[in-house]
Amino acid sequence: MSARPSAQSVGIVSARTTHFAAPLALSSGAQLADYDLRYETYGMLNSRRSNAVLVCHALNASHHVAGVYADQPRSTGWWDNMVGPGKPIDTRRFFVIGVNNPGSCFGSTGPMSTNPASGKPYGAAFPVVTVEDWVNVQARLVDALGIERLAAVIGGSLGGMQALSWAIQYPQRIGRCVAIATTPKLSAQNIAFNDVARSAIQSDPDFHGGDYYAHGVIPRRGLSVARMIGHITYLSGDDMTERFGRSLRAQDYAFGYGAEFEVESYLRYQGDKFSEYFDANTYLLITRALDYFDPARAHEGSLVQALAPAQAQFLLVSFTTDWRFAPARAREIVAALIANGRDVSYAEIDAPHGHDAFLLDDPRYHQLVAAYFDRIAAEFA
């Protein structure tokens, strides 16, 4: 069966891979000798090459932002409701780039890739990467596409961190920064959630110190539990109550430890599904990149100083029930930008869906983003 995209879809898409032979120096002091980047593009680059928008992905997403693959009818891109003709980021006007970051497991060089030094998968030997490293890689891809300046960089959650980092690291190469459901650094609670998730993976007997590829196994149990932990944090309490309450799968208690409540069944399903397509080492790497993001750390804790290099115009969006990256954290960023005299718009949307709201079809949220990108398009019309 072939995929049939909707009328407002970018349609059938295909990914591309670009190889970079020049070594990439990393924040850790290590380097990638050479690497591949997987990416997709949608829309057309205009004659002035001024309408490019970079989309940065969050933890378990990838370069596949929009559209579908011809041979995979259920392969809709993770932000397909945001990117496409007539959608908030309208591909009739913008050239949109989705890139898979190094360390991920969706085509760019990562732990599953062959280490040229050993001829075997990197596994545990793949170096720890940071948000700043990813932004440097993305800048190389933008160079390879012949684009000097991006009309905008946008991302939600971890993607929003990358958008903020673009504004700091490459201030003259970005016109607008759109950071959604994000934070200037993780709280102690968030770091704790990530550590528990990593511990679940590392304690799985099939993990083998990160070199499970050689053993022909996958640490499914640990990865499934890690996903269950993470998924709980993406939803709000009200959303979980409305969706599941205390509903039982059967009529009465079984007096055992199986999945008796509907919410237990849902979480186990999500965990099992995740363990089928995501790499455990990638989960470790990306959650550690989340932990390490803290641009103010190099400025004695001053977010104002950290954001001082930024020249872009900003849109920050938060959601009232997002307790993982609460609105108060977005307001910290807004305050620091105002202190620097930057042009910043901020919206706090009353939505019941928790952190995952940035992926969903809230009309107020989508209308806001659409109006903002209308203003960007007017600049090069």
Side-chain angles (χ1 to χ4, degrees), residues 235-359:
L235 306 176
S236 71
D238 289 345
D239 192 33
M240 293 184 79
T241 298
E242 183 177 343
R243 293 170 68 176
F244 308 108
R246 289 181 53 84
S247 297
L248 292 165
R249 300 183 69 203
Q251 291 185 342
D252 205 352
Y253 297 153
F255 296 97
Y257 301 102
E260 296 185 48
F261 291 90
E262 290 290 353
V263 68
E264 294 175 316
S265 177
Y266 170 77
L267 287 174
R268 294 185 188 196
Y269 168 75
Q270 291 293 334
D272 290 344
K273 183 174 70 171
F274 187 71
S275 70
E276 293 292 330
Y277 72 85
F278 207 78
D279 180 59
N281 280 320
T282 288
Y283 198 96
L284 302 185
L285 283 164
I286 295 183
T287 55
R288 186 52 103 189
L290 271 163
D291 294 344
Y292 282 168
F293 182 70
D294 181 9
R297 184 172 180 267
H299 301 274
E300 299 181 341
S302 172
L303 188 59
V304 173
Q305 291 183 30
L307 287 168
Q311 299 176 18
Q313 297 179 45
F314 288 80
L315 171 63
L316 276 291
V317 181
S318 67
F319 301 92
T320 54
T321 56
D322 182 355
W323 58 273
R324 181 152 198 186
F325 292 169
R329 308 312 306 278
R331 292 196 292 268
E332 291 177 31
I333 301 169
V334 172
L337 290 168
I338 291 173
N340 278 301
R342 298 294 169 259
D343 182 327
V344 55
S345 300
Y346 173 62
E348 191 170 305
I349 297 174
D350 185 9
H353 306 296
H355 186 59
D356 266 357
F358 83 93
L359 297 169

Side-chain angles (χ1 to χ4, degrees), residues 10-157:
V10 297
I12 303 296
V13 300
S14 58
R16 306 172 193 172
T17 301
T18 293
H19 180 75
F20 292 85
L24 176 69
L26 303 173
S27 301
S28 65
Q31 70 173 21
L32 283 177
D34 64 310
Y35 54 95
D36 291 331
L37 281 187
R38 196 78 164 158
Y39 70 99
E40 291 178 10
T41 63
Y42 323 101
M44 297 289 291
L45 194 61
N46 65 17
S47 59
R48 290 179 289 170
R49 313 181 85 79
S50 62
N51 66 332
V53 174
L54 176 68
V55 176
C56 303
H57 70 76
L59 192 155
N60 65 314
S62 70
H63 55 282
H64 184 42
V65 177
V68 293
Y69 296 137
D71 58 346
Q72 299 177 45
R74 297 184 179 180
S75 61
T76 304
W78 62 268
W79 225 1
D80 189 76
N81 62 356
M82 183 68 76
V83 176
K87 294 179 182 179
I89 306 176
D90 194 331
T91 50
R92 296 171 301 186
R93 299 185 293 181
F94 293 101
F95 177 70
V96 181
I97 307 162
V99 58
N100 187 219
N101 292 322
S104 187
C105 51
F106 297 114
S108 293
T109 297
M112 299 174 69
S113 305
T114 300
N115 183 346
S118 66
K120 300 176 181 179
Y122 277 100
F126 194 86
V128 173
V129 288
T130 66
V131 167
E132 291 79 8
D133 294 331
W134 287 334
V135 169
N136 286 333
V137 169
Q138 293 161 9
R140 287 188 177 188
L141 177 63
V142 171
D143 287 342
L145 294 173
I147 299 166
E148 294 184 2
R149 179 178 168 85
L150 293 161
V153 178
I154 182 172
S157 189

Side-chain angles (χ1 to χ4, degrees), residues 210-250:
D211 293 317
Y212 43 88
Y213 314 107
H215 296 267
V217 296
I218 297 171
R220 294 187 189 279
R221 286 166 291 179
L223 190 55
S224 178
V225 171
R227 178 58 172 175
M228 291 167 68
I229 294 165
H231 203 74
I232 292 168
T233 72
Y234 305 147
L235 306 176
S236 71
D238 289 345
D239 192 33
M240 293 184 79
T241 298
E242 183 177 343
R243 293 170 68 176
F244 308 108
R246 289 181 53 84
S247 297
L248 292 165
R249 300 183 69 203

